[in-house]
Amino acid sequence: MQIAELEQRTGVNRHTLRYYEKAGLLQEVERRGNNYRDYPEKAVERVAMVRQLKALGFSLREIREVLDALRSDSIDCEQGAVLMAEKKAAVDDKIRELKQVSALLGREQQRLEDSAAALREEGRCKG
Amino acid sequence: MQIAELEQRTGVNRHTLRYYEKAGLLQEVERRGNNYRDYPEKAVERVAMVRQLKALGFSLREIREVLDALRSDSIDCEQGAVLMAEKKAAVDDKIRELKQVSALLGREQQRLEDSAAALREEGRCKG
DNA sequence: CTAAAGGGTAGAGTATGCTCTAAGGTCAAC
DNA sequence: GTTGACCTTAGAGCATACTCTACCCTTTAG
Ligand SMILES: [Zn+2]
Ligand SMILES: [Zn+2]
Ligand SMILES: [Zn+2]
Ligand SMILES: [Zn+2]
């Protein structure tokens, strides 16, 4: 498919798609005789994955490392497994910390709700 | 305390500390007669929280919103509770997605390990 | 043939979040 | 009173990740 279709199907700006390609995030981008890019179907999925990981806070560099390892044999299997384990550990650590943040936000939400209720019912503010 | 101490105790560059203050992330920063900043003890904790949230992928703007609400009564209690609920929902969504990523990375790690083992034992590569 | 739509590259511009430099004021020690 | 450590502001510079402009080529439709 041409870049316009990929842009339309992923919602990602074509300049950004070219930028991702230059950054090594999109490989297997063929060129037609006229030098136009010709993306495979799975590029849609690939771009979606990049965007999801990006939204979760991964840098393009990190995303590239993971995608490279997923496309195994680009590097050694054993080395790839180590990289995956490292990334997984980082993600799991992040999950743990986010759970703490979630709990904190939940407590604060409760506190503010209680305070708002007290304000309504007793005309005073506790928080 | 003066900026050098806060810098030393938090490990955050003094330029960054001033930048955070300008961005509204650090309030209650007094000035001494000589115009030097005078931070309260809890600024250490505050900066640590900013750094943690930042490392988890929050933008400074988001961090500011949360900290403002935590310092309640700066905005309405009810409104603060709503903001907390929204932030918590976003964090929980992020946790769910990160769990999916963690599972994916775990599967890939296993696949690559299996492949590496097969390569060692049978002289072939499956992945 | 020509216009319009779509593609290409190179490079400029923008937003965020630092990080550092320049120029100068303050203060304690000697 | 001079040195040196510490502070101030303003603004430059940098990395990341886009986003857009300029300018030119290709394809398709009339
Ligand atoms: Zn941690
Ligand atoms: Zn209140
Ligand atoms: Zn989601
Ligand atoms: Zn292999």
Side-chain angles (χ1 to χ4, degrees):
Chain A
M1 80 188 72
Q2 289 192 181
I3 201 165
E5 188 183 338
L6 187 60
E7 174 178 46
Q8 187 266 311
R9 286 172 63 182
T10 60
V12 176
N13 188 302
R14 71 184 55 200
H15 299 285
T16 305
L17 292 174
R18 295 195 192 103
Y19 176 78
Y20 283 171
E21 184 181 342
K22 224 189 244 175
L25 293 169
L26 301 178
Q27 293 176 337
E28 295 150 29
V29 180
E30 305 288 308
R31 291 299 180 119
R32 304 231 279 250
N34 56 16
N35 197 34
Y36 286 13
R37 286 175 178 80
D38 190 4
Y39 298 94
E41 271 301 310
K42 64 176 193 168
V44 176
E45 197 183 316
R46 183 70 158 249
V47 171
M49 177 134 190
V50 170
R51 298 301 277 198
Q52 194 201 2
L53 291 175
K54 234 229 75 198
L56 291 174
F58 292 85
S59 69
L60 296 191
R61 178 186 237 292
E62 286 175 313
I63 294 170
R64 184 190 168 164
E65 286 171 6
V66 172
L67 292 184
D68 279 356
L70 286 178
R71 207 174 31 240
S72 62
D73 281 345
S74 60
I75 58 175
D76 178 73
C77 288
E78 220 140 343
Q79 195 180 324
V82 170
L83 183 101
M84 286 297 161
E86 281 171 8
K87 294 293 179 195
K88 182 172 183 301
V91 169
D92 289 344
D93 187 54
K94 202 164 183 169
I95 289 171
R96 269 191 297 281
E97 292 187 39
L98 280 172
K99 279 181 177 170
Q100 286 171 27
V101 171
S102 174
L104 171 73
L105 293 175
R107 283 196 301 275
E108 280 303 311
Q109 184 196 339
Q110 194 59 55
R111 189 179 66 76
L112 290 167
E113 273 171 10
D114 291 350
S115 176
L119 188 62
R120 276 195 307 276
E121 292 164 29
E122 307 165 34
R124 67 199 174 78
C125 168
K126 290 191 299 193
Chain B
M1 79 189 72
Q2 289 194 180
I3 200 164
E5 188 182 338
L6 187 61
E7 174 178 47
Q8 188 267 311
R9 286 172 64 181
T10 61
V12 175
N13 188 302
R14 69 183 58 198
H15 299 284
T16 305
L17 293 174
R18 295 195 192 103
Y19 176 78
Y20 284 171
E21 185 181 341
K22 227 191 241 175
L25 293 169
L26 301 179
Q27 294 176 338
E28 297 152 25
V29 180
E30 305 287 308
R31 292 298 181 121
R32 303 231 279 247
N34 55 16
N35 197 34
Y36 287 14
R37 288 175 178 79
D38 190 5
Y39 298 94
E41 271 302 309
K42 64 177 193 167
V44 176
E45 196 183 315
R46 183 70 157 250
V47 171
M49 177 134 191
V50 170
R51 298 301 277 198
Q52 193 199 1
L53 291 175
K54 235 231 74 199
L56 291 173
F58 292 85
S59 68
L60 296 191
R61 178 188 236 292
E62 288 176 312
I63 295 170
R64 187 193 164 159
E65 285 170 7
V66 172
L67 292 185
D68 279 356
L70 286 178
R71 208 175 27 241
S72 64
D73 283 342
S74 60
I75 59 176
D76 177 73
C77 287
E78 219 140 343
Q79 196 182 324
V82 169
L83 184 101
M84 286 296 160
E86 282 171 8
K87 295 293 179 196
K88 181 172 184 301
V91 170
D92 288 345
D93 187 55
K94 201 163 183 171
I95 290 172
R96 268 191 296 282
E97 292 186 38
L98 281 171
K99 279 181 178 171
Q100 286 172 27
V101 171
S102 173
L104 172 73
L105 293 175
R107 284 195 301 276
E108 280 303 313
Q109 183 196 340
Q110 194 58 57
R111 188 179 68 75
L112 290 167
E113 273 172 9
D114 290 351
S115 176
L119 187 63
R120 275 195 307 276
E121 292 165 28
E122 305 165 35
R124 67 196 173 78
C125 167
K126 290 191 297 191

